[in-house]
Amino acid sequence: MFNVFRTPIIHNIQLEQIRLGHRVRGKAPIFCRTIKERLDELNYRDELYTTRIDIGLPKEKKSEDIQSARLEHVKKLKNNKDLENLARNHKLKVNLEEVKKEWLKTLGPNHKRQIAEHYSIFEHLYGEGYFIPYVNLKIEYEQKNDLNMPVYTGNVIKPAEALTKPSVTYESNENTLWTLVLTNLDGHLTENDKEYVHWLVANIPGNFIDKGDTIVDYLRPFPLKGTGFHRYVFVLYKQTEKISFEFEKVSTSSLEGRTFQTRDWYQKYQDFITPCGLAFYQCDWDHTVKDFFHNVLNTKEPVYEYDFLPPYIRPQEWFPLRKPFNLYMDKYRDPKQINKEYLLRKLKNEDPFKAPPPPLRFPNAQPLPKNMPSWLKLHEKKIRLGWGRINDV
């Protein structure tokens, strides 16, 4: 017998991925990270700085008597056959005011919180902080003809409709103190991470806004032209005691001193105030903003515009394929000269003493000369239909 000692042979096998006859680059799926691992790596956020903190009032615990009474009420409605017949026949009438009151007591505050988070209200006000607005704010701007413009959660109000301070009401006891703050999250002229405080009233007894201490007078909204919608946020705070806020007196005709940051301001007084009410609206530019800058602030109105880069045009080719001759050549000519030619073409048949000729009833049905080049046929069809450059001039 022969004892043969064989050394182990190591085979270095390279896995190849071949799909539809092509070699796929990268590692095989069994060695790659999963999509979840890759997304977790890209969207990594430190829990220390991203954990949400509830800074609002705690939720009121309902007694067992109230819960049992509500269950009995629901059972009674379900057992009422008359209500069922009216609902099936589309004849059931519902009192919307009672529905709204019930909604505000149950799901309304959480719905408002979800809407505010959708608009990033809490993130831009407090960072990681948030609160559930258990106190309902009823805010209305007075308009002409005895009409009022209400503020809900994100509805659009024009600057001309918010020239004067609104009326604010909410349910409260006479022995409580409140603070109301109105800020603009998007309208600071020089610092992107700062706000403008438009109204600040502190030490409000009950819901009597006029009896509170007006720290900052009301300033109408002034969203700049070209900046889109701005968010104007009302926040109601409940005070534990009377507070003397350190804030310099600011005039209505000046923006100096109105720079504000809700997060820093709240951290300074967080032991004495608690946010509990929220309402906000969106506002974009109208003609009254220009009058405000010229007549009130005595300054020129800033206007923002997009500065687009010129379109890229590739170098000319000797034989451009599948490109209309006239459109291809116009890319490399002076635009002013092209507009001039089209304007002269349009004015050629214009007569100030005659009515313009009627348009062709069937433009595509009018025959064109057979010996006309294809690019010129397309050009004439566009002129008949009013397409392309001829429509611009």
Side-chain angles (χ1 to χ4, degrees), residues 7 21 64 74 78 93 104 120 124 126 159 179 211 288 304 390:
T7 57
E64 295 182 358
V74 172
K78 289 184 176 181
K93 295 182 179 180
L104 290 173
S120 301
H124 294 161
Y126 308 104
T179 297
K211 295 182 180 180
T288 62
Y304 292 85
I390 196 66

Side-chain angles (χ1 to χ4, degrees), residues 13 49 60 66 76 85 91 97 103 106 134 179 189 204 241 248 250 323-324 326 334:
I13 300 175
Y49 299 100
E60 296 182 358
I66 296 177
K76 186 182 297 185
N85 291 331
K91 296 181 180 180
E97 291 296 329
W103 174 73
T106 55
Y134 290 112
T179 297
L189 299 178
I204 304 172
E241 59 185 35
E248 296 181 1
V250 182
K323 296 177 183 178
N326 56 336
D334 186 6

Side-chain angles (χ1 to χ4, degrees), residues 167-209:
S167 63
V168 183
T169 57
Y170 49 90
E171 294 183 1
S172 66
N173 299 325
E174 296 181 358
N175 299 327
T176 55
L177 294 174
W178 308 81
T179 297
L180 181 66
V181 183
L182 169 62
T183 60
N184 179 10
L185 300 181
D186 308 301
H188 205 285
L189 299 178
T190 57
E191 302 179 59
N192 293 332
D193 57 342
K194 297 294 179 65
E195 313 159 33
Y196 277 134
V197 55
H198 284 250
W199 197 22
L200 200 158
V201 185
N203 302 318
I204 304 172
N207 56 5
F208 300 100
I209 304 293

Side-chain angles (χ1 to χ4, degrees), residues 1 33 136 321:
M1 295 183 64
R33 286 172 293 180
N136 180 47
L321 300 177

